[in-house]
Amino acid sequence: MSPPQWVKDLKPSGPQGTELIKAEREKSNINVEKLSNFLFTKEVLERQENVLRILQADKVFDKSNNYFDGRVDRFKSSLAKAKRLRQLQVKHNWSEDEFRVANDLISEPTPFGLHETMFLTTLRGQGTPEQHKLFLEPAENYKYIGCYAQTELGHGSNVRGLETTATWNPEDKTFILHSPHLTASKWWIGSLGRTANHAVVMAQLIIAGKPYGPHPFVCQIRDLVTHEPLEGVYVGDIGPKFGYNTMDNGFLLLNHVKIPHINMLAKFSRVDPETNKYVKPSSPSLIYGTLTWVRSTIVLQSGGVLARGVTIATRYASVRRQFQDRDAGPDASGENQVLNYTMVQYRLLPLLAATFALHFTGKAMMGLYQDNQKRMQENAATASDNNRGAGPEELNSGSDLLADLHATSCGLKALGSTTAAEGLEVCRRACGGHGYSSFSGIGTWYADYLPTTTWEGDNYMLTQQVARYLLKSARAVLKGNAPNNDTTRIFTTFLQKQDMGAAHDILGSDSDIVAAFAWRTSFLAFEALKHRDAEKGSWNSLLVDFWRLSTAHSQYLVVKNFYDALQSESLRYELDPETIDVLHKLYRLYALNTLEKEASEFYSSAAVTVRQIQLARTKTVMNLLSEIRPHALRLVDAWAFPDWQLDSSLGRKDGKVYEDMFYRASQLNPLNGLTVDPYADNDNIVKRDETERFRREREWEDEKYKGITPPLPADFKKKINYREKKEDSSENLWV
Amino acid sequence: MSPPQWVKDLKPSGPQGTELIKAEREKSNINVEKLSNFLFTKEVLERQENVLRILQADKVFDKSNNYFDGRVDRFKSSLAKAKRLRQLQVKHNWSEDEFRVANDLISEPTPFGLHETMFLTTLRGQGTPEQHKLFLEPAENYKYIGCYAQTELGHGSNVRGLETTATWNPEDKTFILHSPHLTASKWWIGSLGRTANHAVVMAQLIIAGKPYGPHPFVCQIRDLVTHEPLEGVYVGDIGPKFGYNTMDNGFLLLNHVKIPHINMLAKFSRVDPETNKYVKPSSPSLIYGTLTWVRSTIVLQSGGVLARGVTIATRYASVRRQFQDRDAGPDASGENQVLNYTMVQYRLLPLLAATFALHFTGKAMMGLYQDNQKRMQENAATASDNNRGAGPEELNSGSDLLADLHATSCGLKALGSTTAAEGLEVCRRACGGHGYSSFSGIGTWYADYLPTTTWEGDNYMLTQQVARYLLKSARAVLKGNAPNNDTTRIFTTFLQKQDMGAAHDILGSDSDIVAAFAWRTSFLAFEALKHRDAEKGSWNSLLVDFWRLSTAHSQYLVVKNFYDALQSESLRYELDPETIDVLHKLYRLYALNTLEKEASEFYSSAAVTVRQIQLARTKTVMNLLSEIRPHALRLVDAWAFPDWQLDSSLGRKDGKVYEDMFYRASQLNPLNGLTVDPYADNDNIVKRDETERFRREREWEDEKYKGITPPLPADFKKKINYREKKEDSSENLWV
């Protein structure tokens, strides 16, 4: 498949991408290394480098087929990666952090994903010491491969509506797990489809005909030797999805499957086998803590998720040139760098600002979570025992901090993941036509990330939790019995100044911007409270208001966290004044761009004046764009994504965009192994099929293209008889 | 792979989807058939039914592998479909309309796509009679399979920047086509990658060292017998994309390829072979007419594109139930239908309204285009001959209608395709978790549609064309020398009333809503004009303002066209008062929801008051949602999509959502043919591989599931020895 010499001799027309991107970097004095260290710490970056070196050297992690393989091949190679990761974890004695870094660098969900997160976490957190010995130990040694089976075909967010039953059988001290309807089929369960041999099944506990709500049960589903489903188990993969196709999300139906008493995870509640009575949970707030942790993690990651897209789009916009400047006159030579267009800046740079805003917010959120965990563990011994089956709201009466943390994590999870997901698509389109190519590296990443907006609480559903908390806080403030926290403080300030009106100097004062966001949130909260309490509006009729309120509150938190981060001492210690100045500009851009997009709420709450918004829109934001623009490339460099992680032609750090696109298309693309018969008067489709050869071989070893993709290990190139391999049903992917 | 009897015996928990969707349909008296006929005409709907019958009977068009196949298989089966379509076209003597309907029902781009559109169109429109004989005839008979090669690796929208050259060679009266750089490689060219044997290549014409701009040349690229690339041609597929993967978008490099004089398409301009002189084009406005036609078609289709997603999401929201109503009290039985939630209504129903708005706008746009074509053809003889190389702007001086049409088509193309693309993603998310499954039927459709926002003029780029036209109109109005058209009329009205201020009764009067949109557009136009002419702002500094202006203007046109359609006589003749009333509500919902989202521009232009917007937001829109809600299902039914076209579990007309999901996952999904070895301590991945068997066979013939998917032809089920077939390199896909 090697191209003729005349093709090998071609290079892009000048100026070369390498020159353009070098010139672009020279426009700014930001010290990229210092900024990276400030964002992530030196230790974390070195860890990333070490792990990267190990992964790149291993042929199992070669990425060059990723964009070409179909579902079955992608799943197989992802399982191979998951296994090798486990082997490396043992070999190098990787910490949890190192293991997570390795997964981040691979950047695809693997079939062990749910085993390593939800299965192990649930066993650890909800199992007794005896159950740890029985289930957790083999799971940690990868003898049991598990998953967490909660969602059902007919039941998503509403856990209490689950149909699967676990009926206590007093005669032989067992539970019978059963799926009474088709809609009771477990669905979307990661790692279940083909990989797991065990599942934690969430099922309605029934004792003597009485239901006690959903509880977790460990259930073996496949034979440990043959890996075939056990009797009474109907299990499989749910089929292809918009993304996430390296994962075998599965379905599971159970037909009166009997499991022993010990298989009900019993740390918090259990069935007493002697009395056949239900023993209610102690300290259920610790369970809800897990959900909060998962949401906090999503917030923490959202900045980095978005930053991948922004990095790719910004680098490509530095290399790509299109049209001449309309005002440049007839003598202008060459086309204009796309990053120079204000319309492109207006689409990309607020997202660049958002990556930093979300990063600082994620760190603050995680700090809040850890503080709370510490406090809760201290209080755990004295915790009320009175909370059987209670939801977070009821629990909160006992813990204002937990209530605040719960609401904050819900709102920020919704805002952060929506911002990241929708921002990635903006980045993809900002790359023009080439953004649509898989080689852009944005599409797959975006598609794989999208479920984050739905899982761990649908982003619209979650806003109800936030609104409920804010209404409660507002009521408490009006009654004068509110706890002293940030939310009640901004509500109190609003009530005090409401009649005088606000006079926020959003164009002159950074702290006034925070105050304007606080004002708008407070206004919306008391408006919603009026609709609900005074006007007796139905909950359902207010959902749109609640969504607006939650979004406003979360935007306030992001702005506030960004502002607070800029006041930190470590900032002034670690960074030079120029970099700090640019970060302040990013802060203002994020805040004022958000304010402008939500302008009508800021007007109608009288947080700012119409004139201020108009100025922000037409002058301040446009000025910030042009001031930030020279630093854009170095700012994305500071996110420190290795090329290997991005796997993007457009986002190459060295600017060799077109060489990389051409190499992948012509040398890696298996469809080019297919020669068709194009004539409609016969049904024959294929003249010659060498797609398999393409899939496995690369012939173009031209010096110029060395280093475009990671070199393949030598033995990968040896000729393989693919047909013979196809015959081998116990095929080893990588021999 | 047939499941055990206990699985076959399961059905969804009650109430069944069939019952729920039936009950939902009974909530409205809208006559679906009459509304469908009004929207599309009876003739068109009958044509669709006839073509559908033919397609469904043909095993080549079986869709059941579509969501599972990888790129190579999808491409092969799509080529098979393209060939069969051509055969059916000949056999049934299909009109162009019937052929288009068949493609719409198949709903995937086929490898003949660009042959059938751009290649034939360009040959027809730009070839001389002699060239028609030489190129068009064999192309129409599918001897030549062609494509239209314009875009290059380094050059997207900017056609004048193309690098490929066509150098006139006076000695032997030939052209030399050549790609001087890697960035000159043709890229994204549909049907080029594997299928075409000819291309229309857009190349810079060079005569005696002087460039004359891009011109079209016919170039054979592959051998007509072997289908191998010809000497000097390096051609292939550009690789996988976010969507559109049944199409072989290709690249093409040419190394001094010599073609005869006759291969330059010469209807408009040519090289005189005697004098070796360039002959400039006559009536180039007809060329620009083609671009306008393509954009008008995109506008016309955008409503239907979006309606697919809205149909699926609305039907699923009628079947899906989740949580109990929070105010319903403890006695409420069962979960609440998702369509009852105001947050879901707020996301879906404005999009439902948008489908109708875009439909009427598309029809109006196409009418405008056809009027203009008629007028232009009448004027063609007298057309100025003075326009060599001129862009649309310059041409417009000679034709105000063309200028208006050009701007309108640019703006509406951008607004319509953005609304459709982004709306589809909203629909997908409104389906919750299952929206992410390929079986939702939205993801693939969305991904295939996305490039529409980029091609035929990037949606952001196009807004400059609109702004340029509006600025010019505004200048003319100020000078008093404006032509009399709708744009200049609304500008004039604005200038007359500007000082008094507007008093638009948007909550009480439908025509005042139109006036408010006109007012805001006019305000933005004169603001932009001030920035450009008085304040001498650079073009680049105003791009964001131009984008806002263009969006405002296009929204005005959509609102106006919807309003006008509701005043038509045929409406009152064909529809009953209840349906007409619902259409009026959809109009108000579309307009007021748009107004609310763009509220700050309406405030700051003083088109409406803050109080009005607040009322629209909190009362009017919410009331409209609840009034339209009972009719939602029948309204989407009126779009008349056959189930076979939608290919969606969630969007089934009969509500059998869960049965369909389960059937596809368990019975069609080839990944379930793969039994893996899950243990990390060995590298073996596969224990048993029966994925091919899954791909080709379906064993579950349970009565209950009959009709869930179109029945397979009998001979499709016979056992095939796949391994033997793999050996046959001239494999016929369908034997």
Side-chain angles (χ1 to χ4, degrees):
Chain A
M1 332 266 155
S2 189
Q5 192 58 43
W6 64 268
V7 171
K8 293 187 186 183
D9 290 341
L10 290 172
K11 60 176 201 170
S13 56
Q16 299 299 305
T18 45
E19 297 158 24
L20 287 162
I21 211 158
K22 191 159 163 277
E24 184 62 37
R25 280 201 179 94
E26 282 164 6
K27 287 178 184 153
S28 167
N29 288 319
I30 285 181
N31 185 320
V32 171
E33 196 184 333
K34 271 193 190 167
L35 182 53
S36 292
N37 289 343
F38 172 72
L39 293 171
F40 309 109
T41 77
K42 198 168 178 176
E43 183 201 347
V44 166
L45 293 167
E46 282 174 355
R47 184 192 300 145
Q48 173 172 296
E49 251 179 73
N50 291 335
V51 173
L52 178 64
R53 212 172 300 119
I54 294 169
L55 298 181
Q56 277 190 294
D58 196 322
K59 63 186 177 179
V60 168
F61 301 113
D62 172 61
K63 294 190 176 189
S64 54
N65 286 325
N66 282 1
Y67 295 135
F68 303 104
D69 280 348
R71 174 99 205 280
V72 174
D73 286 324
R74 286 225 70 194
F75 170 73
K76 284 199 279 191
S77 67
S78 197
L79 180 55
K81 289 173 198 173
K83 286 186 174 197
R84 185 59 52 86
L85 272 185
R86 165 65 185 163
Q87 295 165 5
L88 291 172
Q89 186 184 32
V90 173
K91 178 177 168 188
H92 299 288
N93 196 22
W94 274 346
S95 67
E96 247 184 68
D97 279 342
E98 285 166 310
F99 189 65
R100 196 176 33 69
V101 166
N103 274 292
D104 284 350
L105 289 169
I106 289 170
S107 295
E108 70 184 33
T110 78
F112 281 176
L114 276 284
H115 170 79
E116 285 157 354
T117 53
M118 283 302 282
F119 188 60
L120 293 180
T121 307
T122 308
L123 291 179
R124 263 183 215 129
Q126 304 194 36
T128 61
E130 188 187 359
Q131 289 171 326
H132 284 176
K133 181 100 191 125
L134 202 61
F135 304 122
L136 182 58
E137 257 184 41
E140 283 179 334
N141 291 318
Y142 287 63
K143 296 299 168 206
Y144 293 177
I145 311 291
C147 60
Y148 180 79
Q150 179 170 302
T151 305
E152 295 177 356
L153 180 55
H155 308 273
S157 304
N158 185 10
V159 178
R160 294 188 204 177
L162 293 178
E163 292 185 55
T164 306
T165 53
T167 308
W168 173 245
N169 190 8
E171 285 76 45
D172 59 0
K173 312 294 175 194
T174 59
F175 298 97
I176 305 290
L177 294 179
H178 186 61
S179 316
H181 296 103
L182 194 67
T183 37
S185 177
K186 295 296 174 185
W187 206 266
W188 286 110
I189 314 304
S191 304
L192 167 67
R194 309 313 300 156
T195 310
N197 51 32
H198 279 72
V200 168
V201 176
M202 288 297 280
Q204 300 283 358
L205 173 64
I206 294 171
I207 307 172
K210 195 182 155 196
Y212 288 82
H215 286 78
F217 299 84
V218 177
C219 180
Q220 185 179 344
I221 52 171
R222 286 189 173 94
D223 184 89
L224 297 187
V225 175
T226 66
H227 205 61
E228 296 291 341
L230 299 182
E231 180 70 25
V233 173
Y234 192 65
V235 60
D237 174 271
I238 62 162
K241 297 142 292 188
F242 194 63
Y244 232 74
N245 283 310
T246 49
M247 174 65 85
D248 54 327
N249 296 87
F251 63 80
L252 175 68
L253 282 166
L254 299 167
N255 186 31
H256 300 289
V257 171
K258 186 178 275 199
I259 55 171
H261 174 263
I262 188 70
N263 283 31
M264 176 175 171
L265 291 178
K267 178 153 174 194
F268 297 111
S269 54
R270 59 195 182 86
V271 176
D272 185 322
E274 305 305 320
T275 62
N276 299 313
K277 289 271 189 308
Y278 180 69
V279 181
K280 62 195 175 183
S282 61
S283 189
S285 53
L286 284 174
I287 307 180
Y288 287 98
T290 309
L291 289 177
T292 306
W293 180 79
V294 173
R295 288 191 195 114
S296 302
T297 306
I298 291 174
V299 179
L300 187 63
Q301 291 166 341
S302 58
V305 166
L306 177 57
R308 280 177 71 138
V310 176
T311 300
I312 291 167
T314 303
R315 286 183 180 161
Y316 180 46
S318 307
V319 170
R320 182 180 171 212
R321 297 178 312 142
Q322 194 168 242
F323 289 102
Q324 293 181 356
D325 190 306
R326 206 177 141 82
D327 293 325
D331 296 334
S333 72
E335 293 181 292
N336 200 359
Q337 212 178 351
V338 165
L339 194 55
N340 287 339
Y341 289 107
T342 56
M343 192 71 231
V344 172
Q345 294 167 14
Y346 184 76
R347 291 151 81 190
L348 279 185
L349 300 187
L351 292 175
L352 174 61
T355 64
F356 288 91
L358 291 173
H359 177 79
F360 294 124
T361 298
K363 289 180 79 163
M365 175 80 240
M366 206 39 108
L368 204 62
Y369 170 78
Q370 280 154 352
D371 288 353
N372 181 64
Q373 282 301 98
K374 227 179 272 168
R375 208 176 303 190
M376 288 226 315
Q377 272 151 10
E378 290 160 13
N379 297 345
T382 58
S384 153
D385 210 20
N386 246 334
N387 283 315
R388 177 168 61 77
E393 190 192 25
E394 289 77 9
L395 293 172
N396 294 347
S397 55
S399 162
D400 292 320
L401 181 59
L402 181 63
D404 192 70
L405 184 70
H406 172 74
T408 304
S409 75
C410 287
L412 288 177
K413 183 269 177 184
L415 180 66
S417 60
T418 299
T419 304
E422 295 180 355
L424 284 173
E425 173 62 10
V426 172
C427 293
R428 197 191 62 70
R429 284 190 216 172
C431 293
H434 290 342
Y436 195 60
S437 166
S438 298
F439 309 150
S440 77
I442 305 180
T444 310
W445 180 244
Y446 165 75
D448 283 354
Y449 185 71
L450 267 185
T452 313
T453 65
T454 307
W455 67 33
E456 313 304 346
D458 172 90
N459 282 1
Y460 284 95
M461 298 282 309
L462 285 177
T463 61
Q464 294 185 51
Q465 308 272 332
V466 183
R468 194 181 301 166
Y469 169 73
L470 294 176
L471 291 190
K472 210 173 142 187
S473 298
R475 278 187 205 108
V477 167
L478 287 178
K479 280 189 202 154
N481 64 358
N484 181 16
N485 59 33
D486 184 68
T487 306
T488 57
R489 276 194 297 274
I490 65 169
F491 285 0
T492 306
T493 305
F494 173 77
L495 289 178
Q496 286 164 351
K497 296 192 183 174
Q498 195 180 7
D499 294 331
M500 305 179 290
H504 299 120
D505 178 17
I506 54 164
L507 302 178
S509 156
D510 283 1
S511 61
D512 269 29
I513 294 178
V514 179
F517 275 84
W519 184 277
R520 165 212 185 201
T521 301
S522 308
F523 174 83
L524 292 175
F526 286 105
E527 281 288 298
L529 188 68
K530 189 179 72 189
H531 296 321
R532 178 67 175 164
D533 288 0
E535 298 165 8
K536 304 289 175 202
S538 73
W539 188 261
N540 187 24
S541 73
L542 296 173
L543 294 181
V544 177
D545 290 333
F546 293 161
W547 163 68
R548 287 205 180 94
L549 169 59
S550 171
T551 304
H553 181 248
S554 303
Q555 286 172 343
Y556 157 69
L557 290 174
V558 174
V559 167
K560 181 174 178 294
N561 284 314
F562 201 163
Y563 177 79
D564 289 347
L566 295 184
Q567 315 308 314
S568 78
E569 280 211 16
S570 64
L571 180 93
R572 265 177 300 277
Y573 180 73
E574 292 186 47
L575 300 176
D576 56 281
E578 186 176 345
T579 307
I580 293 175
D581 181 59
V582 174
L583 288 177
H584 273 92
K585 283 174 176 147
L586 288 169
Y587 161 73
R588 282 193 282 274
L589 179 60
Y590 175 78
L592 294 178
N593 181 257
T594 304
L595 190 145
E596 182 217 299
K597 284 194 172 150
E598 311 277 2
S600 72
E601 289 179 8
F602 282 90
Y603 292 163
S604 48
S605 68
V608 296
T609 65
V610 173
R611 179 74 191 136
Q612 282 176 311
I613 297 263
Q614 279 178 313
L615 279 175
R617 170 174 291 179
T618 54
K619 300 273 180 245
T620 318
V621 167
M622 298 310 286
N623 286 344
L624 285 168
L625 294 179
S626 83
E627 286 166 16
I628 291 169
R629 182 239 174 281
H631 308 287
L633 189 57
R634 287 195 180 226
L635 288 169
V636 300
D637 285 348
W639 275 94
F641 293 109
D643 276 348
W644 192 81
Q645 184 175 18
L646 295 181
D647 198 16
S648 163
S649 298
L650 306 184
R652 288 179 66 94
K653 199 170 178 186
D654 64 6
K656 286 190 181 178
V657 166
Y658 299 117
E659 297 92 324
D660 197 320
M661 290 282 280
F662 194 78
Y663 173 77
R664 291 183 193 242
S666 67
Q667 300 307 301
L668 302 182
N669 178 8
L671 191 61
N672 286 324
L674 192 75
T675 303
V676 303
D677 177 333
Y679 300 113
D681 51 13
N682 68 64
D683 291 345
N684 220 39
I685 300 299
V686 178
K687 270 189 191 296
R688 191 157 50 80
D689 189 344
E690 297 187 296
T691 51
E692 270 299 304
R693 191 156 85 94
F694 244 94
R695 234 179 70 83
R696 307 255 177 171
E697 279 178 48
R698 294 89 210 254
E699 293 191 356
W700 192 353
E701 294 283 321
D702 193 289
E703 269 310 307
K704 200 168 43 171
Y705 290 89
K706 283 272 170 67
I708 289 285
T709 54
L712 289 169
D715 64 339
F716 203 79
K717 278 207 38 94
K718 74 175 180 216
K719 304 267 172 192
I720 304 165
N721 185 335
Y722 304 109
R723 282 161 195 158
E724 190 185 307
K725 289 212 56 63
K726 278 269 156 190
E727 300 294 327
D728 179 5
S729 68
S730 66
E731 177 184 7
N732 178 335
L733 246 198
W734 301 107
V735 171
Chain B
M1 330 267 156
S2 189
Q5 191 58 43
W6 64 268
V7 171
K8 293 186 186 182
D9 290 342
L10 290 173
K11 59 177 201 169
S13 57
Q16 298 299 305
T18 44
E19 296 159 24
L20 288 162
I21 210 159
K22 192 159 162 276
E24 184 62 36
R25 280 201 179 91
E26 282 165 5
K27 287 179 183 152
S28 167
N29 287 320
I30 285 181
N31 185 320
V32 171
E33 196 184 335
K34 272 194 190 167
L35 182 54
S36 292
N37 289 343
F38 172 72
L39 293 171
F40 308 109
T41 78
K42 199 170 178 173
E43 182 201 347
V44 166
L45 293 167
E46 281 174 356
R47 184 192 300 147
Q48 174 172 295
E49 251 180 70
N50 291 335
V51 173
L52 178 62
R53 212 172 299 120
I54 293 169
L55 299 181
Q56 277 191 292
D58 196 322
K59 63 185 177 181
V60 169
F61 301 114
D62 172 60
K63 295 190 177 188
S64 54
N65 286 327
N66 282 2
Y67 294 135
F68 303 105
D69 280 348
R71 175 98 206 280
V72 173
D73 286 324
R74 286 224 71 194
F75 170 72
K76 285 199 281 190
S77 67
S78 197
L79 180 56
K81 289 173 198 173
K83 286 186 173 199
R84 185 60 50 85
L85 272 185
R86 165 64 185 162
Q87 294 165 8
L88 291 172
Q89 187 185 29
V90 173
K91 178 176 169 190
H92 299 289
N93 196 20
W94 273 347
S95 68
E96 247 185 68
D97 279 341
E98 285 166 310
F99 190 65
R100 198 178 33 70
V101 165
N103 273 292
D104 284 350
L105 289 169
I106 290 171
S107 296
E108 70 184 32
T110 77
F112 281 175
L114 275 284
H115 170 78
E116 286 156 353
T117 53
M118 283 302 282
F119 187 60
L120 293 180
T121 307
T122 308
L123 292 179
R124 266 185 212 125
Q126 305 195 37
T128 61
E130 187 187 1
Q131 290 172 326
H132 284 176
K133 181 100 192 125
L134 201 62
F135 305 123
L136 183 59
E137 257 184 41
E140 283 178 333
N141 291 316
Y142 286 64
K143 297 297 169 208
Y144 292 178
I145 311 292
C147 59
Y148 181 80
Q150 179 169 301
T151 304
E152 295 177 355
L153 180 55
H155 307 273
S157 304
N158 185 10
V159 179
R160 294 188 205 178
L162 294 179
E163 293 185 55
T164 306
T165 53
T167 307
W168 173 245
N169 191 10
E171 286 76 46
D172 59 0
K173 311 295 175 193
T174 60
F175 298 96
I176 305 289
L177 294 179
H178 186 61
S179 316
H181 296 102
L182 195 67
T183 37
S185 177
K186 295 295 174 184
W187 206 267
W188 285 111
I189 313 304
S191 304
L192 167 66
R194 309 313 300 157
T195 311
N197 50 33
H198 279 72
V200 168
V201 175
M202 288 296 280
Q204 301 282 358
L205 173 64
I206 295 171
I207 308 173
K210 194 184 156 194
Y212 288 83
H215 287 76
F217 299 84
V218 177
C219 180
Q220 184 178 343
I221 53 170
R222 287 189 172 95
D223 184 90
L224 296 187
V225 175
T226 66
H227 204 61
E228 296 292 339
L230 299 182
E231 180 69 25
V233 172
Y234 192 66
V235 61
D237 175 270
I238 62 162
K241 296 142 292 186
F242 195 63
Y244 232 74
N245 282 312
T246 49
M247 174 64 86
D248 53 327
N249 296 86
F251 64 80
L252 174 68
L253 283 166
L254 300 166
N255 186 32
H256 301 289
V257 171
K258 187 178 276 198
I259 55 172
H261 175 263
I262 188 69
N263 283 32
M264 176 176 172
L265 291 177
K267 179 154 174 194
F268 297 111
S269 55
R270 59 196 181 88
V271 175
D272 186 321
E274 305 305 320
T275 63
N276 302 312
K277 289 271 190 306
Y278 180 69
V279 182
K280 62 196 175 182
S282 61
S283 188
S285 54
L286 283 174
I287 307 180
Y288 287 99
T290 308
L291 288 178
T292 306
W293 180 80
V294 173
R295 288 192 195 115
S296 302
T297 306
I298 291 175
V299 179
L300 187 65
Q301 290 167 342
S302 58
V305 166
L306 177 57
R308 280 178 73 139
V310 176
T311 299
I312 292 168
T314 303
R315 286 182 179 162
Y316 180 46
S318 307
V319 171
R320 182 180 172 213
R321 297 178 312 142
Q322 194 168 241
F323 290 101
Q324 294 181 356
D325 190 308
R326 204 177 143 82
D327 293 325
D331 295 335
S333 72
E335 294 182 290
N336 201 358
Q337 212 178 351
V338 166
L339 194 53
N340 287 339
Y341 289 107
T342 55
M343 193 72 231
V344 172
Q345 293 167 15
Y346 184 77
R347 292 151 79 190
L348 279 185
L349 299 186
L351 292 174
L352 174 61
T355 64
F356 288 90
L358 291 174
H359 177 79
F360 293 124
T361 298
K363 289 180 80 164
M365 173 82 241
M366 205 40 108
L368 204 61
Y369 170 78
Q370 280 155 351
D371 287 355
N372 181 64
Q373 282 301 99
K374 228 180 272 170
R375 209 176 302 191
M376 289 227 313
Q377 271 151 10
E378 288 161 14
N379 297 346
T382 59
S384 153
D385 210 20
N386 247 335
N387 283 315
R388 176 168 61 78
E393 191 192 23
E394 289 77 6
L395 293 171
N396 295 345
S397 55
S399 162
D400 292 321
L401 181 59
L402 181 63
D404 191 70
L405 183 70
H406 172 74
T408 303
S409 75
C410 287
L412 288 177
K413 183 270 177 182
L415 180 66
S417 59
T418 299
T419 304
E422 294 179 356
L424 284 173
E425 173 62 12
V426 172
C427 293
R428 196 191 62 69
R429 284 190 216 173
C431 294
H434 291 341
Y436 196 60
S437 167
S438 298
F439 308 150
S440 77
I442 305 179
T444 311
W445 180 244
Y446 165 76
D448 283 354
Y449 184 71
L450 267 185
T452 315
T453 65
T454 307
W455 67 32
E456 311 306 346
D458 173 89
N459 283 359
Y460 285 95
M461 299 283 309
L462 285 178
T463 61
Q464 294 184 51
Q465 308 273 332
V466 184
R468 193 182 302 165
Y469 169 72
L470 294 176
L471 291 189
K472 210 175 143 187
S473 298
R475 279 188 204 107
V477 168
L478 287 177
K479 281 188 200 153
N481 65 357
N484 181 17
N485 59 33
D486 184 69
T487 305
T488 57
R489 276 194 298 273
I490 65 169
F491 284 1
T492 306
T493 305
F494 173 78
L495 290 178
Q496 285 164 352
K497 295 193 184 173
Q498 195 181 5
D499 294 333
M500 304 181 291
H504 300 120
D505 178 17
I506 54 164
L507 303 177
S509 155
D510 284 1
S511 61
D512 268 29
I513 294 178
V514 179
F517 275 83
W519 184 277
R520 164 211 184 202
T521 300
S522 308
F523 174 83
L524 292 176
F526 287 106
E527 281 288 299
L529 189 67
K530 189 179 73 187
H531 296 321
R532 179 67 176 165
D533 288 1
E535 299 165 8
K536 304 290 175 200
S538 74
W539 188 262
N540 187 24
S541 73
L542 296 173
L543 294 180
V544 177
D545 289 332
F546 293 162
W547 163 69
R548 287 207 179 94
L549 168 60
S550 171
T551 305
H553 181 248
S554 302
Q555 286 172 343
Y556 156 69
L557 290 173
V558 174
V559 167
K560 180 173 179 294
N561 283 315
F562 200 164
Y563 176 80
D564 288 348
L566 295 184
Q567 314 308 314
S568 78
E569 280 212 15
S570 64
L571 180 93
R572 264 176 302 278
Y573 180 75
E574 293 186 45
L575 299 177
D576 56 282
E578 187 176 344
T579 306
I580 294 175
D581 181 59
V582 174
L583 288 178
H584 273 92
K585 284 174 175 146
L586 288 170
Y587 161 73
R588 281 192 283 274
L589 179 61
Y590 176 77
L592 293 178
N593 181 257
T594 303
L595 190 146
E596 184 216 299
K597 285 194 170 149
E598 311 277 3
S600 71
E601 289 179 8
F602 283 90
Y603 291 163
S604 48
S605 68
V608 296
T609 65
V610 173
R611 179 75 190 136
Q612 282 176 311
I613 297 262
Q614 277 178 315
L615 279 175
R617 170 173 291 179
T618 53
K619 300 274 178 247
T620 319
V621 166
M622 298 310 288
N623 286 344
L624 285 169
L625 293 179
S626 82
E627 286 166 16
I628 291 168
R629 183 240 173 280
H631 307 287
L633 190 58
R634 285 195 181 228
L635 288 169
V636 299
D637 285 348
W639 275 93
F641 293 108
D643 275 348
W644 192 79
Q645 184 176 17
L646 294 180
D647 198 16
S648 163
S649 298
L650 306 184
R652 287 179 65 95
K653 199 171 177 184
D654 64 6
K656 286 190 181 178
V657 166
Y658 299 117
E659 295 93 323
D660 198 321
M661 290 282 280
F662 195 78
Y663 173 76
R664 291 183 193 242
S666 66
Q667 301 305 302
L668 302 182
N669 178 9
L671 191 60
N672 286 324
L674 192 76
T675 304
V676 303
D677 177 333
Y679 300 113
D681 51 13
N682 68 64
D683 291 346
N684 220 40
I685 300 300
V686 178
K687 269 190 191 296
R688 192 157 51 81
D689 189 344
E690 297 186 296
T691 50
E692 270 299 306
R693 191 158 85 93
F694 244 95
R695 234 177 70 83
R696 306 256 176 168
E697 278 179 49
R698 293 90 210 254
E699 293 192 357
W700 192 351
E701 294 283 322
D702 192 288
E703 270 309 308
K704 201 169 44 174
Y705 291 89
K706 283 270 170 70
I708 290 283
T709 53
L712 289 171
D715 64 340
F716 203 80
K717 278 209 38 93
K718 75 177 181 215
K719 304 268 172 192
I720 304 166
N721 185 335
Y722 304 108
R723 282 164 194 156
E724 189 184 307
K725 289 208 58 61
K726 279 269 156 189
E727 300 294 327
D728 180 6
S729 68
S730 66
E731 179 185 6
N732 178 335
L733 247 198
W734 301 108
V735 170

